[in-house]
Amino acid sequence: MSGIIIQGSSRSMGNTFKVIQELNKGLNYSHLDLLKYDIGYYDYAHSNDDDFIDVMRTIVDEHSTLVIATPVYWYTMSGLIKVFMDRITECLNTDKDLGRRLRGMRMAVLACGSDNIKHSWYFEPFRLSADYLGMHYIGDVHTWIEYESILPEVMHRIEDFRTLIMEGKH
Ligand SMILES: Cc1cc2nc3c(=O)[nH]c(=O)nc-3n(C[C@H](O)[C@H](O)[C@H](O)COP(=O)(O)O)c2cc1C
């Protein structure tokens, strides 16, 4: 089984997408743009009738590695990714089968900001969530786009991140 990159940017072809494209050279993972799906806020009454379960099925049925790609919005993950993470709660209560299948999967996280500043705590919610879900957190990378392009320093980071993901690839 291969991997899937879940993109959570407010524009489909923006900076995060640019970095994803670079990362995916050689990985050839599936790519899913959350912006194209209808995924509602977490609802305690579980009355959402949207695309979330189908998206989760695609992730767990066909892949063993989940790469979450998010822009940096207000020092944290994008709203799209946060809503998606909130909804994973359903995999622990109403759709336990999906939660069971997330167990043992690998998670990696790519962030794309506007500069080199990476806050030490940025990736903690992902690492802790992976632990809670029984997923293997394999690592993360902070990237940024300047003058519409990927600087050599960022290229190197992406290459290292790709290598990390490919080590023990399954
Ligand atoms: C709503 C919003 C909030 C942002 N907040 C931050 C921020 O806190 N730190 C930062 O470095 N860049 C911030 N940025 C800039 C984006 O992280 C940066 O331009 C990123 O590359 C955009 O990726 P995208 O084109 O996929 O949205 C923000 C941009 C937006 C639209």
Side-chain angles (χ1 to χ4, degrees), residues 89-114:
T89 309
E90 279 163 41
C91 302
L92 304 174
N93 43 50
T94 48
D95 287 278
K96 288 185 182 163
D97 179 51
L98 290 171
R100 272 192 288 272
R101 286 153 73 199
L102 273 177
R103 281 192 164 276
M105 275 185 72
R106 308 189 313 156
M107 182 196 288
V109 182
L110 177 160
C112 180
S114 52

Side-chain angles (χ1 to χ4, degrees), residues 19 22-23 143 150 154-162:
V19 178
E22 192 55 42
L23 172 70
T143 67
I150 304 176
V154 180
M155 279 291 187
H156 288 133
R157 287 182 185 210
I158 296 169
E159 279 163 25
D160 289 348
F161 187 55
R162 189 191 303 117

Side-chain angles (χ1 to χ4, degrees), residues 38-41 47-54 87 90:
D38 171 29
I39 298 181
Y41 296 116
S47 57
N48 275 304
D49 180 16
D50 58 16
D51 296 331
F52 175 73
I53 295 298
D54 285 345
R87 291 294 299 279
E90 279 163 41

Side-chain angles (χ1 to χ4, degrees), residues 67 137 170:
V67 180
Y137 191 75
H170 56 270

